[in-house]
Amino acid sequence: MGYSALKIIKEGLFGQRGWKPVWRDPEPKSEYDVIVIGGGGHGLSTAYYLAKEHGITNVAVLEKGYIGGGNVGRNTTIVRANYMLPGNSEFYSHSLKLWENMEQDLNYNTMMSQRGVMMLCHSDGQRDMFARRGNAMVNQGDDAELLTPEQVRAEAPMIDFDNVRFPIYGGLMHRRGGTARHDAVAWGYARGADQRGVDIIQNCEVTGIDIEGGVVKGVQTTRGAIRTKKVAIVVAGRSSLVGAMAGLRLPIESHVLQAFVSEGLKPLMPGVISFGMGHFYISQSDKGGLVFGGDIDFYKSYAARGNLPMKEHVMEAAMTLMPSIAKAKVLRSWGGVMDMSPDGSPIIDKTDTQGLFLNCGWCYGGFKAVPGSGFSYAHLIATGTHHAPAARFLMNRFRSGAVLMDEEGTGSQHNLH
Amino acid sequence: MRLNCPICGERDRREFYYKGDAVELDRPDPNAGSEAWDDYLHNRDNPAGETRDLWHHESGCGAWLVVTRNTLTHEVLRCELAGANTQ
């Protein structure tokens, strides 16, 4: 399907009746080369890169709900590569490069906008820490600028520079970071995968994984049994439940993360601002709504909705950072179910079962990883070897203690990230 | 969410600190081996449904509680003193 200004005008005149679905709605076949469980951003990009990079097109993506209905449609749309530790650093660097070429690659407008991600610091120690992180980012080949308070003021004059508890000591600017249209990312990858022959099967919940003699044979679903030699689990907050179907007990806890959107306002925000001391980050969508979020609710949950204490905390952080938005009304909030790992970093790995692969542990940072995760996961599924930028996302790191990627420095322990 | 502290009665969630899964009450023997300790420290059942957590009534009586609740509905089913589980 082609999109053009002319087409939009024509459809507007004739009641928008001429648009066609951009991916098929096929019945599941009896057998596939690869079955991807989970039609979220990561699952769709996995299928897309299996087809595009490795020529594996006899692939099914099984989604229990609908495309775009999970976390890929309920996040704060932030894209960045400002990680510090080996393992994470090269992975997110690779993922950001894929973001930068995504629209050309998919021929689809994902509204990728590199409007910058600025983290704020409030003490000498934190500024030193930002200098170290910035150097790590530059060494990785990405961009980072340490900003003075005056430079922060020039970027973001609307924030409170005189807060007694959190005075602005500077910022770390990552100009290649920004935001993207989250739904379009899902739709673009779905369309791209479908065009290459991948079957995207919605309303198809996996109820069992067939394993014989340590080898994957297929899956049971609400739409019948499907045979395959390779099963790729990538189901975010449901990882423990789907993993259990294959006898896996995972280092994952599911927690709820809330996010919020205000009513539409005139342009106010220069890009993404991250107020880490308040566990708060904010940007402005192209429609004008402020999109912001905070920390997880800090108790296990599959409810996809949060409680009031964290809502209060986020609103208080917003008021601490930018009292000017006090009268803006919050239009809506939502919660997503996060697959929290002990060290806050993900897993892309094989399992002890032949043909069974696992991709999980993205915590609250899965959106920016959508292209990189799918690319590296597809590489692992197709070749059996780890893709270099994701080679440290191994499951056994928790047991061995080697190459833990604990960006926050809080320890490899549940409920600290 | 409100938790029914056996000592203080029903109180707002804001009074409580969440420690984590109640698996922490089942600490392995120091010589149990790396596999048992890895499992205890990292791996979790993570059920969608009934689960047991450790909460600390930090802004109340200071008691440690084992709270049984539903992760799908946030319904709180039982609140017991953690000491009763370990003694």
Side-chain angles (χ1 to χ4, degrees):
Chain A
M1 154 133 3
Y3 298 98
S4 66
L6 192 66
K7 174 94 173 167
I8 289 169
I9 292 167
K10 188 180 156 210
E11 289 301 327
L13 290 173
F14 294 99
Q16 311 285 356
R17 285 191 293 265
W19 302 109
K20 299 275 192 306
V22 296
W23 61 83
R24 296 165 294 125
D25 183 24
E27 286 296 312
K29 293 192 283 188
S30 60
E31 183 164 3
Y32 290 93
D33 292 341
V34 179
I35 286 177
V36 178
I37 305 177
H42 292 233
L44 292 168
S45 71
T46 301
Y48 174 77
Y49 290 117
L50 275 172
K52 176 169 180 277
E53 300 294 326
H54 304 283
I56 301 173
T57 57
N58 187 23
V59 176
V61 177
L62 307 183
E63 166 56 44
K64 82 181 170 91
Y66 62 95
I67 296 304
N71 290 350
V72 74
R74 40 175 75 221
N75 55 70
T76 46
T77 77
I78 297 168
V79 174
R80 58 188 167 88
N82 55 357
Y83 283 69
M84 185 173 74
L85 297 180
N88 281 332
S89 194
E90 61 265 39
F91 174 82
Y92 289 103
S93 180
H94 177 247
S95 193
L96 181 57
K97 292 187 184 90
L98 292 173
W99 276 108
E100 288 176 322
N101 196 40
M102 179 187 290
E103 289 174 345
Q104 291 74 18
D105 190 30
L106 297 174
N107 187 25
Y108 200 84
N109 183 8
T110 57
M111 295 168 70
M112 173 64 181
S113 168
Q114 293 179 292
R115 53 186 72 182
V117 173
M118 182 168 65
M119 301 192 292
L120 300 173
C121 61
H122 316 280
S123 68
D124 289 331
Q126 206 187 359
R127 186 173 51 203
D128 290 350
M129 192 63 205
F130 275 10
R132 183 186 172 207
R133 178 177 290 269
N135 283 334
M137 290 159 64
V138 170
N139 283 341
Q140 179 58 44
D142 295 318
D143 69 290
E145 293 168 45
L146 198 59
L147 303 185
T148 65
E150 291 70 33
Q151 288 172 308
V152 173
R153 194 185 290 271
E155 296 281 346
M158 85 297 287
I159 63 177
D160 182 2
F161 285 78
D162 303 318
N163 186 290
V164 175
R165 177 65 185 83
F166 297 110
I168 304 297
Y169 271 50
L172 187 63
M173 174 60 95
H174 172 46
R175 294 198 188 275
R176 285 167 62 231
T179 58
R181 172 87 165 92
H182 51 358
D183 296 317
V185 174
W187 299 333
Y189 274 115
R191 189 181 78 140
D194 178 86
Q195 284 172 341
R196 286 168 173 76
V198 172
D199 282 358
I200 295 166
I201 301 166
Q202 304 179 68
N203 300 309
C204 181
E205 183 172 357
V206 170
T207 55
I209 298 174
D210 299 332
I211 298 168
E212 289 172 25
V215 181
V216 157
K217 297 293 182 187
V219 298
Q220 300 291 326
T221 79
T222 50
R223 295 173 67 172
I226 310 173
R227 292 193 304 279
T228 188
K229 292 189 179 63
K230 290 181 179 176
V231 170
I233 301 173
V234 50
V235 293
R238 299 266 155 182
S239 296
S240 297
L241 307 179
V242 176
M245 295 175 191
L248 296 171
R249 188 162 181 264
L250 301 178
I252 296 291
E253 281 190 358
S254 295
H255 287 254
V256 62
L257 177 70
Q258 303 190 64
F260 309 85
V261 176
S262 80
E263 61 188 322
L265 303 171
K266 288 188 175 179
L268 168 75
M269 305 292 301
V272 180
I273 293 181
S274 170
F275 171 40
M277 296 309 288
H279 314 289
F280 180 80
Y281 41 91
I282 184 166
S283 65
Q284 189 167 19
S285 77
D286 292 336
K287 281 195 292 185
L290 299 174
V291 182
F292 55 100
D295 220 329
I296 55 174
D297 271 30
F298 280 109
Y299 48 80
K300 297 196 303 266
S301 172
Y302 283 87
R305 59 186 161 75
N307 258 294
L308 284 173
M310 187 50 71
K311 286 187 172 67
E312 285 177 356
H313 177 85
V314 170
M315 301 307 155
E316 286 165 3
M319 287 298 295
T320 303
L321 180 69
M322 309 171 46
S324 56
I325 61 169
K327 300 241 169 115
K329 293 180 174 62
V330 174
L331 278 193
R332 61 184 184 272
S333 71
W334 64 92
V337 184
M338 310 288 119
D339 37 335
M340 303 299 294
S341 69
D343 66 350
S345 292
I347 295 165
I348 299 179
D349 207 351
K350 303 179 224 182
T351 67
D352 291 337
T353 301
Q354 190 185 326
L356 183 68
F357 301 86
L358 182 68
N359 180 329
C360 64
W362 295 97
C363 300
Y364 31 65
F367 181 69
K368 67 178 121 36
V370 161
S373 166
F375 196 99
S376 294
Y377 200 27
H379 183 99
L380 178 67
I381 296 161
T383 68
T385 57
H386 291 276
H387 185 229
R392 299 196 189 204
F393 292 167
L394 305 180
M395 205 163 15
N396 67 7
R397 70 176 183 266
F398 303 107
R399 182 169 174 189
S400 68
V403 205
L404 290 165
M405 288 158 287
D406 172 17
E407 292 275 342
E408 296 178 359
T410 50
S412 176
Q413 191 177 326
H414 281 294
N415 219 40
L416 290 180
H417 292 275
Chain B
M1 186 188 294
R2 292 172 73 81
L3 300 180
N4 191 9
C5 174
I7 296 172
C8 307
E10 192 176 279
R11 295 298 180 92
D12 188 89
R13 177 260 181 273
R14 292 169 182 80
E15 292 189 7
F16 297 86
Y17 166 77
Y18 177 78
K19 178 69 172 75
D21 195 291
V23 69
E24 301 200 20
L25 293 172
D26 303 321
R27 193 179 172 84
D29 183 84
N31 302 315
S34 64
E35 197 164 328
W37 276 94
D38 172 44
D39 196 55
Y40 164 74
L41 288 168
H42 304 122
N43 296 334
R44 295 290 181 264
D45 289 338
N46 195 23
E50 202 171 305
T51 194
R52 289 167 76 238
D53 297 322
L54 277 177
W55 295 72
H56 182 218
H57 196 180
E58 65 173 352
S59 300
C61 60
W64 282 94
L65 307 180
V66 176
V67 176
T68 307
R69 60 183 186 90
N70 190 312
T71 58
L72 287 165
T73 63
H74 292 169
E75 181 188 9
V76 177
L77 303 168
R78 281 187 301 284
C79 296
E80 301 153 304
L81 292 173
N85 281 264
T86 52
Q87 286 161 9

